[in-house]
Amino acid sequence: MAAAAIPADVLTRMAPIYERLRHVIPPFDWPVFAEDVDAILALKQKRNAVILAHNYQTPEIFHGVADIVGDSLALAREAARTDADVIVLCGVHFMAETAKLLNPDKTVLIPDLEAGCSLAASITGADVRLLRQRYPGVPVVSYVNTSAEVKAESDICCTSGNARAVIESLGVPRVIMLPDEYLARNIAAQTRVDIIAWHGRCEVHERFTAEDIHRLRAGHPGVIVLAHPECSPEVVAAADFTGSTQGMNDYVAQKRPARVVLITECSMSDNLAAQHPDLEFMRPCNLCPHMKRITLPGIRRALETMTHAIEIDAAIAIPARRAVERMLEVKPR
Ligand code: 13P
Ligand code: SF4
């Protein structure tokens, strides 16, 4: 029924894009998306805009309209490189703030201002100041999943893809690493640097248990288990590989496991299944409600109305930018 309402020329123009999505979006559903994809591609040209999409975005965004996709680190690096006038960040608020910190003169839009993150919400700038009082002289390493206000109180940022390299680059025996308790404990297991952690948790990854993995292995013999380091150390210990979302992508592309499960947000598996239809993806995943606030109609509206533009007070932006730029200077391990 939806197909009848969509002009035939739109469907013809969008056919090459559907090719990338046909393994994960049934033909019946595609017309609903096709019209927004078509409009967004035209708006991108009109606004000289680039769309950066996190690996957790849904396939119609990830494969349909994004120019650049990746993990938080890749999105930060690419945000720093782009010569577009407008950046639309399809991800959560801290990612849009990071893009704005690196592009103070560009317009950075997020389609939904409520797209938050339980980790970013777990700590404030005042908390960081208290930690510094409690541990004088100990450098503060902030996960990028923090507000600009928290980054402004930090010495350097890190992501799940470079956390160990960042911590070891400081050449100190002890660091404060915030706000993700599990990421801190997982990194502490790999390094001699003493890590003082905060008690933040990712509401998506904390739900996975080692028992889930044992059940998966029993039910799906030979399955390869990839887990994000925001999972508990017990889950990480039960997995075959742990890495950032990009690390998991690369693992699948390089090793091509016949049967694989990603212990992370749901859309990652859909996006990878679209790219690797010959591999079997198990899907015991959890949704990130914040990432799912970003939709094609929302992106279209963002580009039509140029909302919601990210603004950061200069008093916060200057020190926060320094912490992000210091991170980008660290060489990967
Ligand atoms: P990555 O940097 O690994 O993409 O992780 C971001 C995130 O929010 C994971 O929950
Ligand atoms: Fe934040 Fe977790 Fe959602 Fe990532 S998956 S954005 S860490 S709540």
Side-chain angles (χ1 to χ4, degrees):
M1 248 188 301
I6 310 298
D9 65 313
V10 172
L11 291 177
T12 308
R13 260 199 310 280
M14 293 300 101
I17 291 181
Y18 184 61
E19 260 316 288
R20 295 182 222 151
L21 286 158
R22 69 190 172 90
H23 295 292
V24 289
I25 297 183
F28 180 80
D29 290 341
W30 174 238
V32 177
F33 297 125
E35 198 177 19
D36 281 330
V37 172
D38 190 43
I40 290 166
L41 298 185
L43 282 160
K44 273 202 298 188
Q45 284 207 322
K46 180 176 161 195
R47 303 287 197 195
N48 188 24
V50 67
I51 295 186
L52 268 55
H54 185 260
N55 289 325
Y56 293 162
Q57 292 296 294
T58 49
E60 68 280 6
I61 296 174
F62 189 90
H63 291 293
V65 298
D67 299 289
I68 290 154
V69 293
D71 62 4
S72 315
L73 181 60
L75 296 185
R77 283 196 196 289
E78 293 302 329
R81 278 190 201 126
T82 182
D83 54 10
D85 295 322
V86 177
I87 297 171
V88 183
L89 201 301
C90 296
V92 292
H93 193 265
F94 75 80
M95 296 177 177
E97 274 193 338
T98 305
K100 180 67 181 177
L101 289 172
L102 294 167
N103 292 279
D105 300 327
K106 291 189 197 296
T107 301
V108 176
L109 304 176
I110 183 159
D112 190 324
L113 275 174
E114 301 296 312
C117 168
S118 65
L119 283 171
S122 74
I123 190 160
T124 64
D127 292 327
V128 184
R129 288 193 290 278
L130 282 173
L131 279 168
R132 282 201 188 272
Q133 274 175 21
R134 188 155 170 212
Y135 301 103
V138 179
V140 174
V141 179
S142 282
Y143 197 28
V144 284
N145 299 40
T146 46
S147 64
E149 185 209 5
V150 165
K151 290 182 175 76
E153 299 289 342
S154 310
D155 294 281
I156 189 166
C157 290
C158 74
T159 72
S160 60
N162 64 9
R164 182 175 168 193
V166 165
I167 282 166
E168 293 183 348
S169 77
L170 299 176
V172 293
R174 199 176 198 207
V175 300
I176 298 167
M177 185 181 180
L178 52 87
D180 188 349
E181 181 198 336
Y182 286 159
L183 179 68
R185 283 171 55 193
N186 286 325
I187 299 297
Q190 300 168 12
T191 181
R192 298 170 71 154
V193 179
D194 184 24
I195 295 181
I196 300 161
W198 185 248
H199 49 69
R201 299 270 178 91
C202 164
E203 68 188 83
V204 176
H205 291 93
E206 74 170 345
R207 279 188 278 162
F208 293 108
T209 65
E211 186 51 38
D212 292 338
I213 297 184
H214 300 321
R215 260 199 311 269
L216 268 162
R217 288 197 195 278
H220 307 281
V223 69
I224 298 294
V225 181
L226 315 183
H228 194 276
E230 287 169 12
C231 296
S232 72
E234 295 71 30
V235 167
V236 164
D240 296 299
F241 171 83
T242 304
S244 78
T245 56
Q246 198 54 45
M248 290 191 259
N249 263 316
D250 295 345
Y251 184 102
V252 171
Q254 285 157 20
K255 308 240 175 182
R256 305 196 51 73
R259 203 173 225 201
V260 60
V261 61
L262 307 181
I263 304 298
T264 192
E265 212 272 348
C266 293
S267 295
M268 270 270 309
S269 303
D270 297 335
N271 291 330
L272 276 173
Q275 275 168 274
H276 305 285
D278 51 327
L279 308 181
E280 189 187 0
F281 289 83
M282 310 287 122
R283 319 272 176 111
C285 52
N286 292 324
L287 275 174
C288 171
H290 312 289
M291 289 279 178
K292 296 302 85 115
R293 295 189 81 99
I294 309 300
T295 60
L296 284 180
I299 299 168
R300 183 174 176 174
R301 205 163 38 245
L303 279 164
E304 279 166 353
T305 60
M306 297 297 278
T307 53
H308 304 276
I310 302 288
E311 298 298 343
I312 307 167
D313 200 79
I316 287 176
I318 293 166
R321 181 177 312 127
R322 203 176 305 129
V324 176
E325 284 176 347
R326 262 191 94 182
M327 167 186 86
L328 294 178
E329 284 160 17
V330 173
K331 291 207 173 48
R333 298 184 79 253

